[in-house]
Structure formats: C-alpha cells, structure tokens
Amino acid sequence: MHFTDQVTPAAILAELVCHPKAQPEDTEGFCHLKHDRDLCPRFYDKAERILSSFDKYTDITYDIRRPNRGADIVMRYSGTAGPGGEERCIAIQIKSFDEFESDEDFLPEIKAQIEELEKDYGTSLERYVLLLCTEYSKHLNRVRAISDELRANDKVVVAEPHSAWSLFAMDDAMIDAVSDRLIYSRDYVRRQARDEIAGIGKRRLMLLLSCLIEGIEERGGFAVSDDFVMHNSHVQEFEEQYPGGQGSLAEDVTAMEGKFFFREADVDGFEIYQDSVSAVVALYYDAKVRYAHTGDEAVHYLFTFLEQDA
C-alpha cells in the first residue's frame, strides 16, 4: 500500500461521508448537540478510527490536532511507503445547528478558512471536509447554497446534514469494513469471500452471517438451532431498516438449503456447509485479530464488507 495509490485516509473519509445516508428527519438530532461538547469529540474519535484502521495495513505515523484556526480537526499523517515520507493533511470543519441559527451567512468565513489552510499546508492539504451538522429541513436552502458554492474546489467535500448524521452515528465496525473494502480489495481471500455470497441477497446474507457467528462463538461449530434461525434478531433489525417486499424467512431458509444450510437426521437445527463459507470465515478471524470484532460487531462488519456483492 503506497500513498501514490488512490486509497489514502482521505479517500476512506470521503467514502464514509458518501456511505448510505440517514433520513432527513434523523438530522433533528443535531438540534440538541453542541459544537464543542458533542460534535468535535465524536468526530475526533471517527478521525482516529480511520487512521488506526489504515495503520493496520501499512506503516504510517499520524496525529490528530484541534488547531486554533482554520479547522476544528486536522488529521496529519505520513508513511515510509510514500515518496520521501511526505506528510498529508485532512482538515475537518464542523458547523452546528446553533451556528446556523446565530449566523445568517458564514460562507465567506468558510471560504477564507479554506484559503488560509491552503496557504498554511500547501500541497500537503489533501481534503477539506465540511460537516453541516444542522436540521436538514430547517436550513435546506442555506445547505444547498453552501454546497453549490464550494463544489468547484476539488479538495472540498461538503457533507450535507443527512450525510453528516450518518458519519456521526456510524459505529466502528462500519468504519473498519469500509476501510478494509477499499484497502487491498483485490486480495485473493476477499475476492473469494465476495464470490461465495454473490447474488445471495442482503437479507439472506444477514441471516447467513448471524448464523455463522452464532455457530462459531456460541456453539463451537457450524450449527444453529431452529429457534435462532426463525427468530433471528439481526434479520428483524434488517427488516425494520428495509421494510416491504422481503418475502418470508421460511422461503429464504428453504432457498439456502443445499448450498449453505443442511440438516442431519439426529440434529435439532441447521448446519452450515463449511466449504461454502470458508473465505467468509477467514474474514471473520481476520477481523477478530485486527479489530477484536466479535458477536454483533462481527456480523455488522462482515455484512458491511460483503453487502455490495450480495
């Protein structure tokens, strides 16, 4: 992995900002969050997670700062793999609901901050990420005006409120999975894992992964009870997120028998064909060692990593 490649921490952050978005009504949660008390610490933790995930694949040094001017958070990193150990920077600026309410036009200030950062950091400034952390419907026109005004600058990424909320609420397992999906995506085991579940469908993928983790962690093998399969909490959560048009869970189980599930005459429940998921199992153990993901976190990590191929 070299910084001359497309995948850098800045590319990962940009991908996370563009990840499946929250609903506009979710952004009402920003109304009660304060800039320094709530937003800066939370996004600081996200920045640290991105850099620590990247650090698990390549030799980098990094630090995260809260500078006095120009940005709320600056991520600085360099690596021996990069040309001459060149340092790169990502600046993050946060605008809260209260700031939208108290300042009718802070766009000139933002543009001045971008110019200041470009002057201070020069070519090492890789991205300027503006997080608009306000209620979407209340400040919609201003949000659109800011996005339109800054769109021409290739270094600027504007996260509108629903995207900013998605990142604010995003758990570590999703950050890790998106990072891993971008870094070394052509790895043989990862390609095999994607091939194993290709075309299965997202709900069946969730069912398979939850059964797999349950079998490995709770039962010490590749078997799960009928009750776990038919009253699966992960599938129930999936159906809440993606309601309608799913068909019945019993139909899913039937469709997956023969390839992923099978029954033994003397076993109460389903067993999983190990050969059908060997690469997925390898991904699970890799995430367990790399990030200590187990249980629900492991299910979420694997689902996020594999869902685009399901």
Side-chain angles (χ1 to χ4, degrees):
M1 179 74 207
H2 301 281
F3 288 160
T4 52
D5 293 339
Q6 292 183 349
V7 180
T8 66
I12 292 170
L13 178 56
E15 175 70 14
L16 290 169
V17 168
C18 297
H19 212 63
K21 299 176 180 63
Q23 297 302 310
E25 55 267 26
D26 294 331
T27 63
E28 295 175 6
F30 280 135
C31 296
H32 309 291
L33 299 178
K34 301 302 181 183
H35 183 278
D36 291 336
R37 184 192 69 194
D38 304 307
L39 298 174
C40 285
R42 185 65 170 264
F43 286 119
Y44 184 100
D45 289 344
K46 304 298 181 188
E48 189 169 45
R49 189 72 185 193
I50 292 167
L51 289 172
S52 66
S53 295
F54 199 85
D55 188 36
K56 295 179 188 298
Y57 286 94
T58 189
D59 183 21
I60 67 169
T61 58
Y62 64 85
D63 67 69
I64 307 173
R65 300 179 182 180
R66 295 282 307 276
N68 295 324
R69 62 178 192 167
D72 290 305
I73 300 167
V74 172
M75 305 162 61
R76 299 158 58 115
Y77 58 94
S78 61
T80 56
E86 176 187 352
E87 181 179 85
R88 295 193 180 185
C89 303
I90 305 167
I92 300 174
Q93 181 66 50
I94 301 164
K95 289 298 181 183
S96 68
F97 176 83
D98 288 345
E99 289 171 282
F100 270 87
E101 289 285 280
S102 62
D103 189 343
E104 293 185 358
D105 185 15
F106 48 65
L107 183 55
E109 176 191 353
I110 292 173
K111 294 172 74 173
Q113 288 172 336
I114 294 172
E115 291 179 4
E116 187 176 42
L117 287 165
E118 289 177 330
K119 184 183 299 183
D120 288 346
Y121 293 104
T123 58
S124 67
L125 182 65
E126 194 170 6
R127 286 289 189 279
Y128 174 92
V129 180
L130 177 62
L131 301 172
L132 301 179
C133 301
T134 188
E135 183 181 351
Y136 186 80
S137 60
K138 186 161 188 177
H139 299 122
L140 174 59
N141 291 335
R142 289 181 62 191
V143 166
R144 289 179 173 173
I146 292 168
S147 296
D148 291 343
E149 183 68 22
L150 299 178
R151 185 173 290 123
N153 191 327
D154 292 338
K155 288 189 176 182
V156 176
V157 176
V158 178
E160 295 193 5
H162 44 304
S163 296
W165 183 263
S166 290
L167 182 60
F168 180 84
M170 190 174 290
D171 60 28
D172 288 345
M174 179 173 285
I175 292 174
D176 298 339
V178 172
S179 300
D180 286 2
R181 202 169 62 207
L182 292 173
I183 302 170
Y184 290 151
S185 61
R186 296 182 295 275
D187 174 76
Y188 177 76
V189 173
R190 295 177 177 190
R191 286 189 285 114
Q192 289 295 106
R194 293 197 295 268
D195 287 345
E196 286 175 352
I197 55 84
I200 189 178
K202 291 186 178 181
R203 187 172 74 168
R204 292 176 185 176
L205 174 63
M206 182 64 79
L207 175 62
L208 176 63
L209 294 176
S210 60
C211 290
L212 183 62
I213 302 308
E214 168 74 9
I216 293 173
E217 294 187 355
E218 302 300 328
R219 299 171 66 97
F222 290 82
V224 289
S225 67
D226 283 327
D227 184 67
F228 182 85
V229 173
M230 302 310 298
H231 301 90
N232 190 290
S233 61
H234 289 98
V235 173
Q236 291 170 6
E237 292 173 4
F238 176 87
E239 290 172 338
E240 291 175 2
Q241 186 176 1
Y242 302 98
Q246 300 291 339
S248 73
L249 185 58
E251 290 173 343
D252 285 344
V253 174
T254 299
M256 295 170 72
E257 285 192 77
K259 181 175 182 180
F260 295 107
F261 294 142
F262 68 97
R263 284 185 180 274
E264 294 285 3
D266 57 345
V267 175
D268 177 23
F270 290 90
E271 295 196 48
I272 301 171
Y273 282 110
Q274 296 183 40
D275 289 346
S276 70
V277 291
S278 58
V280 176
V281 172
L283 281 184
Y284 159 74
Y285 282 110
D286 181 85
K288 184 177 180 181
V289 172
R290 203 179 298 273
Y291 303 110
H293 288 325
T294 57
D296 292 346
E297 278 191 341
V299 174
H300 193 187
Y301 167 88
L302 290 170
F303 180 82
T304 304
F305 188 93
L306 297 168
E307 64 174 323
Q308 290 185 354
D309 298 281

